[in-house]
Amino acid sequence: MLRVHFTADDLARVRVAAAPDPLWEITNSFQALAGQDAPLLFGDWRRLVRARLRPAHALLAALLPARGYTPDFLTPHLDGRYDLEDAVDTVLRTPRTALRRDLTAFAASPRRTRPLPSEARALADGEPPALRHLGAALHGYHRHALAPFWPHIRAQVDADRAVRAREVLEGGTDGLLASFNPVLRWRPPVLEADYPVTRELRLGGRGLLLQPSLFCLRRPVTVAAPELTPVLVYPIQPALGWVRPPGRPTPGGGLAALVGRTRAAILEETVTGRTTGELAQRLSISGAAASQHTAVLRRAGLLLSVRRGRHVVHTITPAGRTLLEGTGSV
């Protein structure tokens, strides 16, 4: 079990990441790719990606086992910078002491089943050719496995963030932390989660970054070294069929003329996320009408709907945002 201990200062410094972290998505997706969990959600993605993998990804296969410890330096704190180029550069600038610490711990991990690659010592020494190979492997894997789906990954994370924002508005930090149940269990002042090892994480006033991840399966993950910036990566529940690209919206002509005034207004309202009831109230329509309109927009790939408790929260997708921005005002 993982137990995260909060102080009053930590509660004031809880935040939810603004975007998917490309390095955590690389790590989590590579591990998900090796397994068979959640076939309805990830089966199509696995089939597409496995056909694209190349031998250059062998280095990542050695460093990212399906179970057990993975080196912390592969998922550094990005300080809100989620560009892939910057993220990989941060990995490659890891101090040699951290490289040696992490790779030594990785070599000693009892659950590691693959032998360390010959490049591990060169990586631990911070040798430029080994670091360049690692950077190329990270970029190559992202290009084949994640980049084609990134707008859809971002849409799922945006939908989850909209839900979390509502919890903060209605219940503050306490409501936010309680909203993760049952994946995370908030028992003030401790946040608990199922975890493969017993661990006590004391934040000590540093706060906590909650990082949503599409490919984080079953339970949350965090870095191992206690001195690193505290982050808890938690799984989000993607919509079925998230891999299938939505139909492209037809540009031009004014949004209201294209989809109708009510549906155009719904798209504008869902930029920040709205429940069905809120859409009905704000647009002065019935709940049934709001449900019908959102269903049409969802089938067209313009909305994403996520159920949380008694409510369904609707958020605009990248395709919907493109349509909204490309057609001008209603």
Side-chain angles (χ1 to χ4, degrees):
M1 178 182 288
L2 172 68
R3 291 166 50 87
V4 184
H5 298 261
F6 289 75
T7 66
D9 287 341
D10 294 313
L11 290 173
R13 293 173 180 153
V14 173
R15 58 206 187 280
V16 179
D21 183 313
L23 296 174
W24 277 111
E25 292 305 283
I26 287 174
T27 298
N28 291 335
S29 68
F30 199 94
Q31 294 171 327
L33 190 64
Q36 300 295 334
D37 292 341
L40 290 178
L41 293 174
F42 297 103
D44 289 341
W45 172 80
R46 286 190 179 103
R47 284 189 292 273
L48 290 169
V49 171
R50 284 171 180 168
R52 299 172 177 171
L53 287 187
R54 299 179 178 180
H57 299 127
L59 177 59
L60 295 185
L63 294 175
L64 298 174
R67 297 287 188 275
Y69 170 76
T70 59
D72 284 337
F73 77 88
L74 293 173
T75 52
H77 179 57
L78 299 179
D79 197 25
R81 302 185 306 274
Y82 296 109
D83 175 74
L84 178 65
E85 194 74 36
D86 287 345
V88 173
D89 284 347
T90 301
V91 172
L92 302 187
R93 291 195 303 269
T94 303
R96 188 177 301 177
T97 54
L99 291 171
R100 288 179 175 172
R101 175 201 66 201
D102 293 350
L103 287 170
T104 298
F106 184 60
S109 175
R111 301 185 68 176
R112 185 175 55 80
T113 58
R114 292 175 177 264
L116 284 179
S118 59
E119 285 182 289
R121 183 177 296 275
L123 273 176
D125 289 338
E127 294 184 8
L131 290 170
R132 286 195 295 269
H133 185 191
L134 175 60
L138 292 170
H139 277 291
Y141 176 77
H142 188 279
R143 182 168 59 253
H144 289 101
L146 297 177
F149 313 102
W150 200 253
H152 312 298
I153 295 169
R154 179 64 188 260
Q156 301 290 331
V157 169
D158 286 348
D160 184 83
R161 275 177 51 81
V163 171
R164 305 306 170 190
R166 299 179 63 80
E167 298 295 344
V168 172
L169 290 173
E170 294 177 5
T173 303
D174 192 70
L176 169 67
L177 295 175
S179 75
F180 292 99
N181 189 63
V183 175
L184 303 173
R185 300 176 293 277
W186 177 229
R187 295 167 180 167
V190 177
L191 187 65
E192 296 181 348
D194 294 331
Y195 212 65
V197 296
T198 299
R199 183 172 174 197
E200 305 286 334
L201 174 58
R202 300 186 183 278
L203 300 177
R206 294 175 295 169
L208 180 67
L209 174 65
L210 293 160
Q211 176 66 59
S213 170
L214 182 75
F215 290 99
C216 182
L217 303 181
R218 300 183 307 276
R219 56 177 175 253
V221 293
T222 186
V223 291
E227 69 271 18
L228 297 177
T229 300
V231 58
L232 192 60
V233 183
Y234 66 89
I236 61 176
Q237 184 73 14
L240 286 173
W242 68 271
V243 172
R244 294 192 298 271
R248 293 183 178 179
T250 303
L255 185 55
L258 185 63
V259 300
R261 185 168 296 277
T262 299
R263 291 172 189 169
I266 287 174
L267 285 179
E268 291 193 330
E269 288 287 340
T270 54
V271 167
T272 55
R274 297 289 185 192
T275 67
T276 305
E278 286 173 337
L279 289 173
Q281 183 177 28
R282 293 177 69 87
L283 301 180
S284 299
I285 58 177
S286 69
S291 294
Q292 182 182 31
H293 286 304
T294 55
V296 171
L297 293 169
R298 184 169 58 251
R299 287 194 296 269
L302 305 177
L303 279 189
L304 185 65
S305 302
V306 179
R307 177 169 288 281
R308 290 292 184 269
R310 296 178 295 107
H311 302 291
V312 176
V313 179
H314 309 281
T315 56
I316 195 167
T317 66
R321 192 180 294 273
T322 298
L323 178 61
L324 188 64
E325 295 172 351
T327 56
S329 62
V330 176

